[in-house]
Amino acid sequence: MRKNKKINIIYKDEQIVVCEKPKGIPVSSDKTGDMDLLHQLKNQLFFEENIDGEPELYLVHRLDRPVGGVMVFARTKQAAASLTEQIKDHTFEKDYQAVLTGWLPDDEGTFRDFLLKDPKNNVSKVVKEGTKGAKEAILDYEVIDMMEDSKMKYTYCLIHLETGRHHQIRVQTSSRGFGIWGDTKYNPIYQKTKKKYKEIGLFAARIAFDHPTTHERMVFKADPSGEAFDLLEMTE
């Protein structure tokens, strides 16, 4: 195993590892062949803990490649099963901070849609209820601030995921005309831009779950950074 860029590990014990995923890297190996977070973490644990052989590490949830933020990995199969069950029964909390283009009309609300994933093109879209293969997607949002510069208007908001669908936040916001800053996949404002965005205005700021063995409620947070969130200071 070889050393790679150091990942910020927020917490670890024998059951879990909580870290901050850097924006711009995949969570697990993909067709690009770029180094991914899972293998970087394994490398890091191997060197830091002097483990004999490849460290045991299980992926239980994901973040899109351009999204940074807090993630938890399981270190045992039992821990992975516990966390997966919490995700299924919605006791695993996931909260994001987002910078949207445009001003949301309401200070808070709920987006409820049915999303259909297109694996071939790695996209999802909003479809009618009852569409074969579609899954219900629900999120709650709360507006923190509204800003404006010479280019456009922005909404800074908190988003709480009730469900965890493929590209859910990006699809649900863009379908209403308020796409994520820098999102060349879903936001029409950026789809034709020549600039390559390795990050977007979406950050996993908080997760909360019950520890797999102690059952203690654990909460982990991280502060967003990057070009999108720099807008907040520039437009104040």
Side-chain angles (χ1 to χ4, degrees):
M1 287 188 170
R2 58 189 177 86
K3 287 191 175 183
N4 290 281
K5 184 178 179 182
K6 195 174 181 68
I7 301 298
N8 177 24
I9 294 178
I10 302 170
Y11 172 87
K12 67 176 180 176
D13 60 25
E14 293 180 351
Q15 297 295 322
I16 60 174
V17 175
V18 179
C19 70
E20 183 177 340
K21 175 193 175 294
K23 50 190 175 288
I25 71 169
V27 169
S28 58
S29 57
D30 60 16
K31 61 183 179 181
T32 67
D34 296 340
M35 177 54 77
D36 58 88
L37 179 61
L38 179 63
H39 284 91
Q40 284 198 38
L41 269 180
K42 283 186 175 184
N43 286 350
Q44 193 164 319
L45 292 171
F46 175 81
F47 285 106
E48 290 181 355
E49 300 181 352
N50 195 26
I51 295 173
D52 183 19
E54 183 176 336
E56 198 174 356
L57 210 59
Y58 299 94
L59 181 64
V60 294
H61 67 121
R62 293 179 175 273
L63 288 178
D64 298 344
R65 180 166 183 155
V67 179
V70 188
M71 290 191 69
V72 59
F73 289 81
R75 302 190 73 170
T76 66
K77 289 183 178 179
Q78 293 79 6
S82 171
L83 292 170
T84 299
E85 186 62 31
Q86 291 180 57
I87 291 170
K88 287 181 179 178
D89 65 20
H90 306 300
T91 56
F92 187 115
E93 298 177 42
K94 292 179 279 188
D95 295 290
Y96 295 74
Q97 293 186 26
V99 178
L100 311 181
T101 53
W103 287 352
L104 286 173
D106 300 310
D107 290 340
E108 59 184 31
T110 299
F111 292 166
R112 187 185 301 267
D113 297 294
F114 285 83
L115 304 186
L116 182 65
K117 182 179 178 180
D118 176 0
K120 183 178 178 181
N121 297 305
N122 191 33
V123 294
S124 290
K125 62 180 179 180
V126 175
V127 296
K128 291 182 179 180
E129 182 177 356
T131 300
K132 185 178 179 181
K135 295 181 178 180
E136 188 175 28
I138 306 169
L139 65 78
D140 301 317
Y141 72 87
E142 178 185 350
V143 173
I144 302 301
D145 200 2
M146 291 184 173
M147 304 150 293
E148 185 174 10
D149 63 15
S150 59
K151 296 179 180 179
M152 66 183 84
K153 297 176 179 178
Y154 308 95
T155 298
Y156 174 41
C157 62
L158 300 181
I159 293 176
H160 175 73
L161 278 184
E162 295 287 348
T163 56
R165 307 305 181 197
H166 178 252
H167 293 171
Q168 179 179 335
I169 297 174
R170 299 163 69 181
V171 178
Q172 288 193 278
T173 54
S174 64
S175 71
R176 290 166 170 79
F178 306 97
I180 302 290
W181 178 98
D183 190 353
T184 56
K185 187 181 285 285
Y186 292 104
N187 191 335
I189 293 174
Y190 300 99
Q191 284 175 338
K192 294 182 179 179
T193 184
K194 293 182 180 180
K195 181 177 179 180
K196 298 296 182 183
Y197 289 84
K198 289 186 177 181
E199 60 176 280
I200 61 176
L202 186 62
F203 187 86
R206 177 185 177 275
I207 57 173
F209 54 87
D210 295 337
H211 190 278
T213 55
T214 68
H215 307 299
E216 175 190 357
R217 192 66 177 172
M218 308 192 81
V219 179
F220 298 97
K221 300 177 181 179
D223 295 323
S225 62
E227 192 175 344
F229 296 95
D230 289 343
L231 288 170
L232 306 181
E233 297 180 5
M234 292 166 52
T235 55
E236 284 181 351

